[in-house]
Amino acid sequence: MTLSLQTDRLLIRDWEEDDAEAALEIYGSADVAQWLSPAIDQVTDVATMGMILTAWIEAQPNFVVPAGRWAVVRQEDNVVIGGLLIRLLPPYEEDLEIGWQLRPSAWGNGFATEASKALMGWAFKTGDVDELFAVARPNNKRAIGAARRLGMEWVGETDKYYDLNLQVYRLRAADFKP
């Protein structure tokens, strides 16, 4: 399923192979990579980022709605500033995680909250989804702050996801406020 959502400032769309350089500004940043879960190495070059994007693009049609990965584009200059995802949390049976990553130059502008809120609204409306979870490393104050701004409730700390100690936040569809 192709996705295109617009907010006042952002466009959420499928990743494209031409996005590799912009994606490297996100996933190639040590400031971003240190917080990713599952833990992955910092992407170091455009060619590697291109291979990762190709894998994401090829996998996208196989996801069950609302799962997937998308680019976040700033409308004013058509620049990819981030990525969003919805995926199953381990053990990959029912709990859906929403995740967001932004290039550091886009931090502090409310983009993560704006984009995630739009995606959450679509997921609750389109998919058979009763709740979404977000996980964050305990010291990732930005991710924790975004989860709270999204209206997500802290439900505890666990090491059952990705073999990492993570804070878990949840938002139920009935509590979602667009």
Side-chain angles (χ1 to χ4, degrees):
M1 168 182 204
T2 299
L3 179 67
S4 180
L5 298 173
Q6 279 191 287
T7 70
D8 290 341
R9 302 179 295 165
L10 305 171
L11 170 67
I12 300 159
R13 62 157 172 81
D14 292 344
W15 283 104
E16 300 170 357
E17 289 183 9
D18 291 344
D19 293 331
E21 284 189 36
L24 186 62
E25 294 290 322
I26 304 158
Y27 302 99
S29 167
D31 291 331
V32 174
Q34 69 176 324
W35 302 115
L36 294 177
S37 53
I40 64 169
D41 291 333
Q42 176 182 352
V43 181
T44 58
D45 58 75
V46 174
T48 302
M49 190 73 244
M51 289 189 299
I52 292 168
L53 281 182
T54 297
W56 291 352
I57 291 164
E58 289 175 359
Q60 191 80 349
N62 300 316
F63 289 120
V64 175
V65 172
R69 289 183 174 271
W70 301 276
V72 178
V73 180
R74 190 172 44 216
Q75 290 190 64
E76 73 180 34
D77 55 10
N78 205 33
V79 170
V80 174
I81 60 165
L84 290 172
L85 63 83
I86 295 179
R87 64 179 168 203
L88 287 170
L89 280 165
Y92 310 106
E93 293 170 357
E94 64 179 326
D95 293 342
L96 285 173
E97 171 191 8
I98 184 166
W100 50 87
Q101 306 82 36
L102 293 179
R103 62 171 54 191
S105 64
W107 291 356
N109 295 293
F111 293 135
T113 303
E114 184 176 330
S116 297
K117 190 169 275 202
L119 187 63
M120 292 169 100
W122 170 81
F124 288 138
K125 182 179 172 186
T126 308
D128 185 19
V129 179
D130 294 326
E131 58 190 3
L132 288 169
F133 293 86
V135 296
R137 295 181 193 222
N139 293 328
N140 189 345
K141 291 179 173 60
R142 289 185 177 280
I144 291 168
R148 289 185 176 140
R149 285 187 296 279
L150 288 164
M152 300 185 95
E153 170 185 310
W154 183 75
V155 293
E157 188 168 297
T158 186
D159 60 3
K160 75 177 185 178
Y161 304 131
Y162 312 120
D163 295 321
L164 295 168
N165 184 38
L166 298 168
Q167 300 290 309
V168 182
Y169 292 82
R170 174 183 62 211
L171 182 66
R172 292 189 169 114
D175 298 325
F176 177 70
K177 293 178 179 64

